[in-house]
Amino acid sequence: GFIFLVLFDVVLTFPKDQVLMQRVLSTKSDKEAGRSVWTFAAIMIPGGFFFYMIGTALYVYYKSHPERMNPTLSIDATFPLFIAAELPMGVTGLIIAGIFAAAMSTLSSIINSVSTLASVDFYEKLAKNPTPKKSVLFAEIMGVLVGLSGICLALLLSRFDIHSLFDVSIELAGLLGGGFAGAYTLGMFTRRANSQGVAIGIGSSIVLTLLVGRMPEAEALVDETEQAEGFELPGADLSGEELSVRVLPKQADEFTCGRCFLVHHRSQLA
C-alpha cells in the first residue's frame, strides 16, 4: 500500500502540476521533453519514499517515547516539535532554513506559472491588440494578486480546525486529479475531443467525486441517528442528578501517554 501510495502520488502530479507542464512545454524537442519528465520522476519517486518514511520514523519514535509527545498538538505540529525539541541547535537551524528555502522556491514557481498562464492563455487571446509589454505588465499584476490571494487563503484556513493539511491536500488531489489526468490522457491518445467536451468531462468528474465522497458521511449520519433514537438507559432517570469531578494537575513524576492520552506514573514506563 505504501509503494502504491508513493507511485500514484507522483504519477498524478504529472498532469495536474502546472509548473512541470510549463517546463516540459518549454523544451525544444520531444526528446528533451521526455528527458525532463524522466528526470522529474527519478527525483520525485525516491524523494516521495523519503518524505513518507519521515512520518513512519516519527510514529515509531514517539511510540517508544510517549512522554515526549504533546497530545494537544495537531498532526502537522509533530515534525516541528521533533525538530525543535530533539535535534541539536545547529541542525535545527539548518533544517528550518532549508524548509523556508524550499517553500519560497516552490511558491515562486507556482506564482510565476499561474501569472504566465493567465497572461498567455487568457489576456493575449481575449484582449484587443495585445503587445508584449502589456502582456508582461498583466503577468506582473497577476503575480501580485495571486500572492495576496494565497496569503488571504492561508489566513482563512488557519481559522478552521483542520486535522491535517496533508489530508486536505490529498482530498484536493483526489477531487481534481482524476478529471485533469483524464483530460491529458485524452489529448495523448485521440484527436476527436474538443475543449467543450473536455471541460464537461472535468466538471462531471469533480461533481461525481463530491457526490461519492458525501455518500458515506450521509449513511453514517442516518445510522447514528437511528441508533440514538432507539437507545434508552435501562433502569434509571439521571436527569436530576449532579456529577462533581475533581481535576488534579499532572505531577512532576507523571507523563501523558501518546497512545491513550491518559496520565500515568513514570514507574509504568517499560
Side-chain angles (χ1 to χ4, degrees):
F2 175 75
I3 297 175
F4 281 104
L5 174 63
V6 176
L7 291 178
F8 278 105
D9 184 30
V10 174
V11 170
L12 283 176
T13 302
F14 284 85
K16 67 183 177 63
D17 193 338
Q18 181 63 29
V19 178
L20 175 62
M21 287 295 103
Q22 289 192 10
R23 290 174 181 172
V24 171
L25 295 176
S26 63
T27 55
K28 298 180 180 180
S29 62
D30 295 342
K31 186 177 181 180
E32 291 185 0
R35 188 183 306 162
S36 174
V37 171
W38 285 113
T39 302
F40 176 83
I43 296 174
M44 285 299 299
I45 292 179
F49 280 101
F50 176 75
F51 289 135
Y52 283 109
M53 286 301 297
I54 292 177
T56 305
L58 288 174
Y59 172 78
V60 174
Y61 177 80
Y62 283 113
K63 187 174 182 180
S64 302
H65 303 84
E67 73 279 1
R68 297 180 179 271
M69 181 65 184
N70 186 352
T72 62
L73 294 178
S74 63
I75 295 178
D76 294 324
T78 303
F79 193 29
L81 172 65
F82 178 82
I83 294 174
E86 307 299 337
L87 297 181
M89 187 176 299
V91 178
T92 301
L94 290 175
I95 293 178
I96 294 176
I99 292 175
F100 275 106
M104 292 172 62
S105 174
T106 303
L107 290 175
S108 63
S109 299
I110 294 175
I111 292 174
N112 180 69
S113 296
V114 174
S115 60
T116 303
L117 176 68
S119 176
V120 175
D121 291 350
F122 291 95
Y123 175 76
E124 294 183 1
K125 293 182 179 180
L126 300 177
K128 295 181 179 180
N129 301 322
T131 62
K133 183 177 181 180
K134 291 182 179 179
S135 180
V136 172
L137 178 61
F138 181 81
E140 292 176 348
I141 295 174
M142 286 302 302
V144 174
L145 293 178
V146 170
L148 293 176
S149 300
I151 294 174
C152 294
L153 181 60
L155 294 175
L156 179 63
L157 290 176
S158 66
R159 302 178 65 89
F160 292 93
D161 186 16
I162 298 177
H163 184 64
S164 172
L165 288 177
F166 179 75
D167 292 342
V168 175
S169 66
I170 291 295
E171 292 177 0
L172 291 177
L175 178 64
L176 302 176
F180 284 103
Y184 281 101
T185 304
L186 190 65
M188 289 188 294
F189 293 102
T190 181
R191 297 188 178 183
R192 300 176 60 183
N194 52 39
S195 58
Q196 293 83 0
V198 171
I200 293 174
I202 294 176
S204 301
S205 172
I206 294 175
V207 172
L208 183 61
T209 304
L210 287 173
L211 292 177
V212 173
R214 294 295 181 181
M215 287 175 60
E217 296 182 5
E219 293 177 359
L221 181 61
V222 171
D223 293 340
E224 291 177 359
T225 304
E226 292 177 353
Q227 292 176 2
E229 291 177 352
F231 179 79
E232 295 182 0
L233 187 64
D237 181 11
L238 302 179
S239 59
E241 299 293 332
E242 294 183 0
L243 178 64
S244 60
V245 179
R246 183 184 178 188
V247 180
L248 299 177
K250 185 174 66 174
Q251 304 300 314
D253 58 348
E254 295 176 337
F255 72 97
T256 302
C257 178
R259 182 183 303 174
C260 63
F261 304 128
L262 298 177
V263 177
H264 301 278
H265 192 267
R266 291 189 180 275
S267 60
Q268 298 181 5
L269 287 174

